[in-house]
Amino acid sequence: MTLPDLSEYRPHKVVTDVDLEGVVVPGLSATFHRRAAGSRVRTVGVYRYAGVELFMAWGYVGEPHCRFTALRRSDGSWGPPRPGCPPVAKARDGGRVTALTINGHVLPTAPGRPPAVPRGRADPGVPPPAPVTP
């Protein structure tokens, strides 16, 4: 399995304040690309927060979940494709989700919270660190 070559896709749309695992993350944006594949349409989403690419997810239009995901490494390269959606950890305060952690980046889920900052070296072979509840 190789990463999708975005030069073979056409831009489709940009979504801001993306809903990830049922949680809206202010400032998380995704650029979606599409291309025909016989009777189906392939799609790739590249997700960014605070100007930093975090992950790429792809599959086919109409599928309920990501078919594959690649995480952006701290050196700027893409990690290997892995099946499914990106690993996401939720930080909670009581019953409310206050942040998501993806590949070492903490993404606050409430407006007005400080921007995400890397928590140590991101390694796509290691699950994200447990989030800290503010």
Side-chain angles (χ1 to χ4, degrees), residues 1-132:
M1 167 59 52
T2 60
L3 296 174
D5 179 354
L6 293 181
S7 70
E8 298 175 354
Y9 290 73
R10 63 177 167 72
H12 175 64
K13 67 180 174 179
V14 175
V15 176
T16 57
D17 299 340
V18 172
D19 177 320
L20 203 58
E21 290 198 2
V23 178
V24 174
V25 181
L28 179 64
S29 66
T31 304
F32 293 96
H33 309 267
R34 288 186 173 185
R35 79 176 189 143
S39 63
R40 301 177 80 186
V41 176
R42 291 180 190 215
T43 183
V44 179
V46 179
Y47 294 76
R48 293 175 183 80
Y49 187 83
V52 176
E53 287 183 341
L54 300 179
F55 66 93
M56 174 189 309
W58 63 96
Y60 291 91
V61 170
E63 291 182 321
H65 299 287
C66 317
R67 189 171 278 238
F68 293 98
T69 300
L71 302 174
R72 184 63 91 171
R73 294 178 172 149
S74 59
D75 67 3
S77 66
W78 288 106
R82 42 170 87 172
C85 294
V88 175
K90 294 179 182 177
R92 297 182 187 274
D93 183 4
R96 187 171 69 88
V97 175
T98 58
L100 300 178
T101 302
I102 302 171
N103 200 31
H105 295 269
V106 178
L107 314 179
T109 58
R113 298 226 181 214
V117 293
R119 291 181 52 197
R121 186 176 179 281
D123 181 350
V126 176
V132 176

